[in-house]
Amino acid sequence: MPGVPPVPRAARDRPAGGPLAYLVAAVAGCLVGLVGGSFRWCLARAEVLRASLLDTSERLPGPGWLLPVALTATGAAVACAIARWVPLAAGSGIQDVEAVWRAEREPQPLRLLPAKFVGGVIALGSGLVLGREGPTVHMGAAIGAEAGRRVRMHADDIRLLHTSLAGAGLAVAFTAPLGGVLFVCEEVTRAVRARLVLLTLIGVATAVSCSRLIVGDRPVFDVPHTAAPPLVLLPVFVVFGAATGVLGAGYNHLVVGALAWGDHLTRVDPVVRAALIGAVVGLLLAVDPLLVGSGETLSERLLAGGALTATVLAGCLVVRFLTGPLSYAAGTPGGLFAPMLTLGALWGALVHAVALPLLPGWGSGPAPASGSGTAAFAVVGMAALFAACVRAPVTGIVLAVEMTGATTLLLALFTACFAATLTADWMRSEPVYDSLRARMLGRP
């Protein structure tokens, strides 16, 4: 493949499976932690800068809303131009990690890393509805593969390091070590192999340890204690999960459809197209910052039991349901997980606001009971939508628990994720990364 360094002959001839891989995984994990932690730190600073510019725009005479429009349009255009320089820097990158594991393509060169880092900071920092996990996973995989190449490891071990350090990247993105391990086994490889698990464990352990030096060790969301729903409500979570499966199937279809729509705009330069998409997102940014971006602030508000009316929740849900795929079609670096989790939290909070007050008991009374119910449905919605879209229910459950600490909701999570996955399968909705991988490889 052009631009991809060939595996050295010594590496091709050397038997795979040596103990050196564990040392390399540990060292590479430290690098993933430092790079991923720095990426999160830069995104946090970019978000502060974006908020400051929004405050400035409100004080400007005349049409101050043009400032956020120009900000997001310019950011999307610049990030798209960077991705054009390194084509596989566009989008999530998880589909590329899966393709490398299946030997459908070679691991990417290390020049992917600066393109993904800088392009990701610009794209996400400008307000596009994208997540940090995709770039972090892809950068972790690139670091793992490059580490294997540098010590002339066997091609099979390079691929193992590429995959296991991708899991370390996810763990760093969400401070979710167990989620990173399960992501590798359930989503990327769909297999549990002793050597792969051990490499992933050591890579995740060192990566998360080093990232904590930069971002700290607190969970992503500071969620107050959430009471476990009574067993009588488990059938409600079955129905909720099934409805979430339908929503997830629709979201997957919209993501792929938005990319196909972009492909048909052959007369529009991709950078210009990205700028136009950025302008649309920037206009929404001027209306309300919660409508755009990765959605972490909005998710935290919902998980804290913040009171939003059903009308506001429905409006946010519709806007983010459309702008997530639209932002992904801009061709900039950025992932799908974080916006997907926010969408799930919105969906859960909306279902609670509309349906649960009609039921007796838990979560239907005044605060804090109603706040606990909103948070519970938001957490379950996050995991269930993830399960429906990605078709990795165990990873979704563990990510939700590690990010929120809501261990009291495990039964509700199991029930809803089971129903969501089964419904999405029944609808013959292909997992989103399978669709993106097939598209990347030019398959129908």
Side-chain angles (χ1 to χ4, degrees):
M1 180 181 299
V4 177
V7 178
R9 180 179 298 276
R12 293 198 299 269
D13 296 338
R14 184 182 300 151
L20 177 63
Y22 299 112
L23 177 60
V24 175
V27 175
C30 292
L31 293 176
V32 172
L34 294 174
V35 171
S38 299
F39 187 63
R40 286 181 60 177
W41 185 89
C42 289
L43 289 176
R45 302 288 80 75
E47 187 170 346
V48 172
L49 177 60
R50 188 174 73 229
S52 175
L53 288 174
L54 281 175
D55 290 340
T56 300
S57 70
E58 294 175 356
R59 294 193 298 268
L60 287 176
W65 55 270
L66 288 175
L67 182 59
V69 170
L71 167 71
T72 312
T74 303
V78 172
C80 180
I82 292 173
R84 298 278 290 171
W85 172 58
V86 182
L88 278 177
S92 167
I94 291 175
Q95 63 271 26
D96 181 57
V97 173
E98 294 182 358
V100 170
W101 170 255
R102 290 162 176 77
E104 296 169 336
R105 64 191 314 147
E106 294 293 326
Q108 292 303 302
L110 195 60
R111 68 190 182 99
L112 173 77
L113 196 151
K116 207 80 178 184
F117 192 108
V118 177
V121 169
I122 294 172
L124 277 69
S126 63
L128 290 179
V129 186
L130 298 170
R132 63 175 178 259
E133 73 296 323
T136 313
V137 166
H138 214 183
M139 289 188 291
I143 291 171
E146 185 66 20
R149 291 192 193 106
R150 290 299 177 99
V151 297
R152 298 180 178 273
M153 298 184 71
H154 189 277
D156 289 343
D157 279 339
I158 291 175
R159 195 166 71 252
L160 281 170
L161 286 168
H162 181 271
T163 303
S164 59
L165 271 298
L170 183 72
V172 168
F174 291 138
T175 316
L178 186 54
V181 176
L182 287 172
F183 166 76
V184 167
C185 297
E186 187 181 26
E187 169 56 22
V188 178
T189 67
R190 298 174 187 174
V192 179
R193 303 181 184 180
R195 185 169 173 80
L196 174 66
V197 171
L198 289 175
L199 285 171
T200 306
L201 286 173
I202 187 63
V204 165
T206 55
V208 174
S209 298
C210 289
S211 71
R212 285 177 172 176
L213 299 175
I214 301 172
V215 297
D217 58 358
R218 295 178 59 186
V220 174
F221 299 117
D222 186 13
V223 181
H225 175 74
T226 304
L231 293 178
V232 71
L233 286 184
L234 286 185
V236 174
F237 285 102
V238 173
V239 176
F240 173 58
T244 307
V246 176
L247 184 71
Y251 193 73
N252 285 2
H253 181 75
L254 195 58
V255 168
V256 177
L259 292 171
W261 165 77
D263 290 342
H264 285 104
L265 297 178
T266 54
R267 295 184 179 181
V268 181
D269 183 83
V271 175
V272 175
R273 184 183 65 213
L276 293 174
I277 292 173
V280 173
V281 175
L283 187 59
L284 293 169
L285 176 63
V287 174
D288 189 340
L290 293 179
L291 293 174
V292 298
S294 67
E296 193 168 308
T297 303
L298 178 56
S299 295
E300 184 152 17
R301 182 172 175 179
L302 295 171
L303 293 169
L308 294 175
T309 65
T311 303
V312 172
L313 290 170
C316 289
L317 180 72
V318 171
V319 169
R320 295 191 68 91
F321 189 87
L322 297 174
T323 53
L326 182 65
S327 296
Y328 197 77
T332 69
L336 292 169
F337 275 20
M340 194 185 297
L341 294 174
T342 300
L343 196 67
L346 277 168
W347 168 244
L350 176 62
V351 169
H352 175 265
V354 172
L356 203 62
L358 303 177
L359 301 175
W362 174 83
S364 58
S370 58
S372 178
T374 300
F377 268 77
V379 172
V380 175
M382 290 167 62
L385 188 64
F386 179 92
C389 293
V390 182
R391 223 59 53 79
V394 179
T395 303
I397 291 168
V398 170
L399 278 176
V401 170
E402 285 191 293
M403 292 172 71
T404 65
T407 56
T408 56
L409 301 177
L410 282 173
L411 282 180
L413 286 164
F414 290 164
T415 304
C417 289
F418 162 78
T421 304
L422 200 64
T423 302
D425 280 338
W426 176 75
M427 296 183 67
R428 298 183 180 178
S429 169
E430 193 173 18
V432 66
Y433 292 113
D434 286 1
S435 299
L436 294 176
R437 190 177 76 253
R439 186 181 183 281
M440 179 185 67
L441 298 173
R443 296 173 181 170

